[in-house]
Amino acid sequence: MADSTATFDDVLPEALRFRSPAPLVDIGANLTHDSFGRDLDAVIQRARAAHVDTLILTGTDREHAEQAVALARQHPGLYATAGIHPHDASSWTPELARAMAALHQEPEVVAVGECGLDFNRNFSTPADQERAFEAQLGLAAESGLPLFVHERDAGRRMQEILHAWRDDLSQVVVHCFTGERETLYGYRDLDLHIGLTGWLCDERRGHHLRDLVREIPLDRLMVETDCPYLVPRNLPAKLKGRRHEPALLPWIVREIAHWRGIDEQTLAEATTATARTFFRLPADKDS
């Protein structure tokens, strides 16, 4: 990783230097994205200063999963997932399945995924998406690891597939949930976890989530940035470069707590406890 060209505190203005009242787990951070190549160490420092002590790095294909594992080995408090995103489902082969199964044996890998269905863009055909998803469900069942799921505009089909597999899987989280009430209730019926992002902070398309946050059981809720994507639109100051990062997670937690009607510390403590149990993280560490 290249040396940082940004100092610890010259990226975030003072108004965006938040600190959570309790340690947080960011369950979806794409820190292998090219935009973090020049200042990753500073990004991790800022996350720790914000009390975001644990980061789950999302592996969306073989290359990025391997990079996530390498970073997790270098930095305490970082872990990885390993899967094939539905956008890349057409790349699924027996060789790739073997590579994923090997990655799932690495101690740094705490979930199978990101995998699932995305019928919004269909960069891979729905048929290829379902084929790759079913194969990764098999890997999750075989490894016993929890499942990290992507779903967009595919709630009904996702529920049908997961219903058939549910007894064979351990835990499942639908990360970056953006669906409607009917879809949420379907996932609740399947005893799934829900990951919320800064989508809730978007008045154009995420306002419906503000009415739904009370309907997610607190012991099934986790929080994430999905950085560098999904910068909260209602931040109190402009963000240089518009690149999201884990240090901004406390703002998302504050927003969720507001709309849920509880205090920020209660939500932080609950989501962190849930994430530690879900991903089987060491209970005696803050990082």
Side-chain angles (χ1 to χ4, degrees):
M1 188 64 63
D3 290 339
S4 173
T5 58
T7 65
F8 168 72
D9 60 359
D10 71 353
V11 172
L12 298 180
E14 183 68 33
L16 299 184
R17 296 176 199 170
F18 310 115
R19 181 169 174 83
S20 171
L24 292 175
V25 178
D26 185 346
I27 71 161
N30 297 284
L31 293 193
T32 62
H33 191 274
D34 289 346
S35 63
F36 293 112
R38 62 179 176 80
D39 65 341
L40 181 63
D41 288 343
V43 168
I44 294 172
Q45 278 187 286
R46 287 193 292 271
R48 301 210 191 291
H51 224 173
V52 184
D53 296 334
T54 305
L55 307 173
I56 311 296
L57 309 188
T58 311
T60 56
D61 57 28
R62 181 177 180 177
E63 178 185 5
H64 287 95
E66 289 173 347
Q67 291 174 7
V69 169
L71 288 176
R73 289 172 179 162
Q74 296 171 25
H75 300 277
L78 271 60
Y79 301 88
T81 73
I84 301 298
H85 192 284
H87 289 346
D88 297 316
S90 60
S91 69
W92 189 263
T93 63
E95 178 186 2
L96 188 52
R98 290 190 290 272
M100 284 293 118
L103 280 167
H104 297 155
Q105 298 303 310
E106 297 293 342
E108 296 82 9
V109 174
V110 294
V112 173
E114 179 178 359
C115 59
L117 303 175
D118 191 314
F119 294 168
N120 178 265
R121 294 184 175 180
N122 285 324
F123 289 150
S124 291
T125 67
D128 280 347
Q129 291 184 46
E130 292 190 20
R131 177 174 63 90
F133 184 41
E134 293 260 12
Q136 291 175 91
L137 288 168
L139 292 177
E142 181 179 320
S143 67
L145 288 173
L147 190 69
F148 189 82
V149 167
H150 172 106
E151 179 269 303
R152 192 168 183 196
D153 294 349
R156 184 179 299 275
R157 184 62 181 136
M158 176 68 72
Q159 291 170 55
E160 292 171 351
I161 293 174
L162 288 178
H163 178 77
W165 280 87
R166 191 66 186 91
D167 290 344
D168 299 315
L169 303 171
S170 57
Q171 301 281 12
V172 181
V173 60
V174 180
H175 107 99
C176 189
F177 178 78
T178 59
E180 303 293 337
R181 178 173 278 101
E182 180 181 1
T183 302
L184 175 62
Y185 277 37
Y187 290 153
R188 280 183 19 175
D189 290 344
L190 288 168
D191 198 28
L192 308 189
H193 288 68
I194 300 294
L196 290 183
T197 66
W199 194 282
L200 174 135
C201 304
D202 188 334
E203 77 287 352
R204 304 166 306 167
R205 56 184 181 174
H207 57 87
H208 70 287
L209 292 176
R210 298 170 180 176
D211 296 326
L212 292 183
V213 291
R214 294 173 182 264
E215 300 181 43
I216 303 171
L218 194 54
D219 63 354
R220 288 292 181 270
L221 176 62
M222 294 185 277
V223 293
E224 54 182 316
T225 56
D226 202 24
C227 63
Y229 315 110
L230 301 183
V231 176
R233 280 176 52 85
N234 63 349
L235 288 172
K238 288 187 177 181
L239 180 63
K240 183 188 299 184
R242 298 295 295 172
R243 184 194 67 180
H244 201 4
E245 63 174 83
L248 300 176
L249 185 61
W251 177 261
I252 297 171
V253 169
R254 190 177 302 174
E255 284 289 296
I256 295 171
H258 169 75
W259 293 106
R260 193 178 175 96
I262 62 176
D263 65 87
E264 185 180 349
Q265 179 162 348
T266 297
L267 184 67
E269 291 174 349
T271 58
T272 293
T274 296
R276 289 201 171 282
T277 299
F278 181 94
F279 291 106
R280 306 166 193 171
L281 305 181
D284 58 344
K285 290 184 179 182
D286 285 339
S287 61

